[in-house]
Amino acid sequence: MIVGVYVDDLILTGSNQLVINQFKQEMQCKFEMSDLGLLSYYLGIEVKQNQREITLCQIAYAKKILEKLGMGECSPCQIPMEPRTKMSKFGNGEPPIDETQYRSVIGSLRYLVHTRPDLAYSVGVMSRYMETPNTSHLTAVKQILRYVRGTLNYGCVYQKGQPSLELVGFSDSDMAGDIDDRKSTTGVIYFLGNNPITWVSQKQKIVALSSCEAEYIAATAGTYQGVWLGRVLSNISNEKETATMKIDNKSAIALARNPVYHDRSKHIDTRYHFIRECLQNGDIKFEHVKTKLQLADMLTKPLARQRFAELREKIGVEDITKFG
């Protein structure tokens, strides 16, 4: 049995209904509690369950964000950020905007990312400008909100009864995407079977000197996550679970596997070489994947409409109204 606790809200799951019922009875004897039955709503996340799948979404929360900003009836758009968009914290002499309102909107959108990995990159980029936002930043945020308006019913879909529940991750990066400090962006997403379970899009902390190093740093972030997830799953299944991470850069894989390469990359912080030890210990496995099959691509850069829609479906973000 597993108990998820957030302050005074508990979620229970397990393989034995009798054990779950016994736990509920013991807790109700000790504390004043209410049993709300099958999970349907938790911390703003709406949950629907049937025999075939489970869906997670935040439709009501998304509507509140739009209504709060007067964009409840705005014109929708198909992508959250236009391809080749480059934002800067300096702007082009554009006037500043209300910092408090901007930060409030970004904070709300960041919470929405919990069920919308398709928003992770665009929201992550716009989170970089909360110190001194200007009108160009607000315009970009409004496009994200227009995209949310057009995809209100979208959320994560988790299929039941899959033949394999292998832990598989995808790691990717752009190269020097931030025009202010030339740092790259890391994108990592992990699946259990075909179901997305964790994702991140964030700016790297150091400047990479090549695409190989940018991918290597992203792979290290994915390794941290994969090793932790493997340990969590091992505790549940009582069997060793090893994550497989797919990378579309062969040089980054060689850098992780071959000690000779490390002599050429001493300037990389030692914590990024943690990845090699994990490979040697069998805590994670690397596989090369073609760029067109790299599912983390949408977490590192703005994509064209067709490519964005294709990857959005592949990572399990769909219109949940299609599911009963």
Side-chain angles (χ1 to χ4, degrees), residues 1 8-13 17-29 31-42 49:
M1 184 180 66
D8 59 351
D9 292 317
L10 279 67
I11 299 178
L12 309 180
T13 187
Q17 187 62 46
L18 293 177
V19 174
I20 293 175
N21 292 338
Q22 181 182 354
F23 177 81
K24 288 180 180 180
Q25 291 172 3
E26 292 177 359
M27 289 293 287
Q28 287 174 333
C29 291
F31 305 100
E32 184 178 342
M33 301 183 69
S34 299
D35 184 357
L36 301 180
L38 191 65
L39 181 64
S40 61
Y41 188 83
Y42 189 73
Q49 306 184 51

Side-chain angles (χ1 to χ4, degrees), residues 157-174:
V157 179
Y158 298 87
Q159 303 289 343
K160 295 182 179 179
Q162 294 188 26
S164 173
L165 288 179
E166 184 182 358
L167 181 61
V168 178
F170 291 81
S171 165
D172 195 21
S173 78
D174 69 344

Side-chain angles (χ1 to χ4, degrees), residues 212 251 254-266 273:
C212 169
S251 296
L255 179 59
R257 289 177 174 167
N258 192 338
V260 175
Y261 278 82
H262 289 257
D263 290 335
R264 308 178 195 172
S265 55
K266 291 179 181 178
H273 292 309

Side-chain angles (χ1 to χ4, degrees), residues 50-297:
N50 59 37
Q51 295 298 321
R52 298 183 303 277
E53 64 266 326
I54 299 172
T55 62
L56 303 182
C57 67
Q58 293 168 281
I59 297 174
Y61 183 75
K63 287 180 178 178
K64 286 182 181 179
I65 298 174
L66 294 171
E67 291 170 359
K68 179 181 178 181
L69 299 170
M71 297 184 65
E73 300 300 327
C74 65
S75 300
C77 63
Q78 298 180 351
I79 50 177
M81 185 173 281
E82 293 296 331
R84 296 181 293 278
T85 296
K86 294 294 182 181
M87 304 301 300
S88 172
K89 63 182 178 181
F90 302 109
N92 296 313
E94 295 155 340
I97 61 172
D98 184 359
E99 298 174 5
T100 302
Q101 183 186 35
Y102 184 86
R103 293 168 183 168
S104 175
V105 175
I106 293 297
S108 298
L109 287 172
R110 290 190 70 84
Y111 192 73
L112 192 60
V113 172
H114 288 333
T115 59
R116 296 291 301 270
D118 54 325
L119 294 172
Y121 173 75
S122 55
V123 174
V125 169
M126 300 319 301
S127 299
R128 302 172 188 175
Y129 310 107
M130 290 195 287
E131 185 177 355
T132 54
N134 58 45
T135 51
S136 64
H137 301 143
L138 182 60
T139 300
V141 170
K142 285 185 176 179
Q143 174 160 348
I144 298 175
L145 293 169
R146 288 173 53 218
Y147 171 74
V148 171
R149 171 75 172 82
T151 56
L152 271 177
N153 295 326
Y154 278 58
C156 290
V157 179
Y158 298 87
Q159 303 289 343
K160 295 182 179 179
Q162 294 188 26
S164 173
L165 288 179
E166 184 182 358
L167 181 61
V168 178
F170 291 81
S171 165
D172 195 21
S173 78
D174 69 344
M175 175 58 191
D178 192 301
I179 62 175
D180 292 327
D181 55 20
R182 286 305 176 186
K183 291 180 180 177
S184 306
T185 300
T186 289
V188 176
I189 184 168
Y190 270 94
F191 297 83
L192 193 58
N194 295 323
N195 301 321
I197 56 174
T198 185
W199 48 87
V200 65
S201 176
Q202 63 184 18
K203 187 164 71 169
Q204 295 178 358
K205 295 182 180 180
I206 65 173
V207 178
L209 301 182
S210 66
S211 59
C212 169
E213 290 185 4
E215 295 276 2
Y216 183 75
I217 294 168
T220 303
T223 299
Y224 290 147
Q225 193 76 357
V227 171
W228 178 78
L229 287 170
R231 289 171 181 170
V232 171
L233 292 174
S234 296
N235 288 335
I236 296 173
S237 64
N238 291 323
E239 297 179 3
K240 183 174 181 179
E241 299 284 347
T242 301
T244 299
M245 190 160 59
K246 300 191 177 184
I247 305 169
D248 61 4
N249 187 294
K250 292 183 179 179
S251 296
I253 297 175
L255 179 59
R257 289 177 174 167
N258 192 338
V260 175
Y261 278 82
H262 289 257
D263 290 335
R264 308 178 195 172
S265 55
K266 291 179 181 178
H267 58 277
I268 297 182
D269 194 300
T270 54
R271 68 178 178 272
Y272 296 110
H273 292 309
F274 155 84
I275 193 173
R276 185 174 166 224
E277 184 177 328
C278 291
L279 279 171
Q280 291 176 338
N281 294 339
D283 295 326
I284 196 164
K285 295 184 291 185
F286 281 178
E287 288 184 4
H288 180 259
V289 64
K290 294 181 179 179
T291 300
K292 66 179 181 179
L293 300 177
Q294 175 56 268
L295 301 188
D297 195 30

